[in-house]
Amino acid sequence: MKEVGAASKEAMLKARDMIKPGARILDVAEAAEKFLRDKGYGLAFPINLSINQQAAHFTPTLNDDSVFPEGAVVKIDFGAEKEGFLSDGAITLDISGRNAKMVEAATMALDNAISHVRAGAEVCKIGGVIDETITRMGFKPVKNLGGHGVEEHDLHAGIFIPNFDNRDDTVLEEGEVIAIEPFVTDGRGLVVNSDACEIYSYLGGVSLRSSDSRKLLEYIDSNHPTEPFAVRWLSNVIDSKFRLYAAVGELVRAGAIEPHNGLIESGNGMVTQAEAELLVQKDGCEIITK
Ligand code: MN
Ligand code: MN
């Protein structure tokens, strides 16, 4: 786990160093993903590069030619996979420096939460620490996003770690692997689905009418049976972009793949994020994504 944690951290920093106003988002995404693949790792999920009011789950489309805007606040959320072990971590890059305090609120909330992680700690208490830290700095936590347990080939397993005190008295257990991810905003503190959807995960085989969607599902079944994938990773299966996206739509309607829509702040607020994956220990924790 430490190996995938260190690898994805390195990939995130590589992405961060490439992000400049005017740089193509797709170039950064492909470079970071290639970096992990070249080192022999799988990807726990497509790199998320979510900008400004976008909170999470944004990754470039196929042949995306959009660029990072001036002053962008970019959440880089990424993870590696090896033999089913998954890492998950995130950092925020504030290009202009104008949102430094909001970035600091996310990292401070994460650090304070980490200092409370130990076997027996209640998840609502950790959420409370996150909320207090963020509120004290004049912002709001995003309440409908949070941390999660991480298990073999399962990035969101079992436990949920809220970003506020939700009164859930579930306790952390020794040996459990969790991700904690405070999201900070000056908006409403809630995210909603956007229409954009580039990330999906495989649910299972179904019978399909068109040959495009049958071919696509066969490819997904062989190449992306467990971890989420991006539509742009499927370009070699169907050569027309229009037909590829049509087939993806058909797989969603048939219940063969699950969409993970882009999430945007409902009050149009700016969003920052910090995330680390941790191993819960008797008297504390060890940070895996170092
Ligand atoms: Mn993440
Ligand atoms: Mn996560």
Side-chain angles (χ1 to χ4, degrees), residues 142-187:
V142 174
K143 289 192 169 183
N144 58 343
L145 288 175
H148 47 90
V150 179
E151 288 173 15
E152 210 176 306
H153 283 302
D154 192 353
L155 192 66
H156 294 105
I159 198 166
F160 177 75
I161 322 260
N163 285 331
F164 66 106
D165 181 353
N166 67 349
R167 303 187 179 188
D168 178 354
D169 61 3
T170 304
V171 295
L172 301 178
E173 286 171 29
E174 189 177 353
E176 197 169 24
V177 175
I178 58 167
I180 295 185
E181 48 184 313
F183 285 84
V184 179
T185 186
D186 55 4

Side-chain angles (χ1 to χ4, degrees), residues 140-247:
K140 289 177 191 165
V142 174
K143 289 192 169 183
N144 58 343
L145 288 175
H148 47 90
V150 179
E151 288 173 15
E152 210 176 306
H153 283 302
D154 192 353
L155 192 66
H156 294 105
I159 198 166
F160 177 75
I161 322 260
N163 285 331
F164 66 106
D165 181 353
N166 67 349
R167 303 187 179 188
D168 178 354
D169 61 3
T170 304
V171 295
L172 301 178
E173 286 171 29
E174 189 177 353
E176 197 169 24
V177 175
I178 58 167
I180 295 185
E181 48 184 313
F183 285 84
V184 179
T185 186
D186 55 4
R188 284 185 60 205
L190 287 174
V191 291
V192 291
N193 272 353
S194 80
D195 294 335
C197 191
E198 293 296 325
I199 302 174
Y200 295 85
S201 46
Y202 183 47
L203 292 172
V206 294
S207 61
L208 294 157
R209 203 163 301 164
S210 87
S211 70
D212 273 353
S213 53
R214 276 200 301 272
K215 201 164 76 172
L216 191 61
L217 192 58
E218 242 168 67
Y219 181 85
I220 292 166
D221 182 86
S222 319
N223 295 279
H224 304 293
T226 47
E227 276 64 67
F229 55 88
V231 178
R232 60 187 160 79
W233 296 355
L234 310 172
S235 60
N236 57 337
V237 189
I238 297 169
D239 52 15
S240 139
K241 182 173 177 177
F242 177 80
R243 278 171 42 219
L244 172 60
Y245 278 87

Side-chain angles (χ1 to χ4, degrees), residues 8-25 27-29 31-32 35 47 49 68 74-76 91-95:
S8 62
K9 185 64 185 280
E10 222 184 317
M12 272 193 284
L13 296 179
K14 195 175 170 54
R16 187 188 64 184
D17 291 345
M18 286 180 71
I19 296 172
K20 311 252 173 335
R24 274 168 49 117
I25 304 173
D27 290 345
V28 174
F35 175 83
I47 191 169
L49 295 167
F68 292 99
V74 186
K75 278 71 64 185
I76 306 166
I91 53 175
T92 298
L93 172 66
D94 170 27
I95 293 181

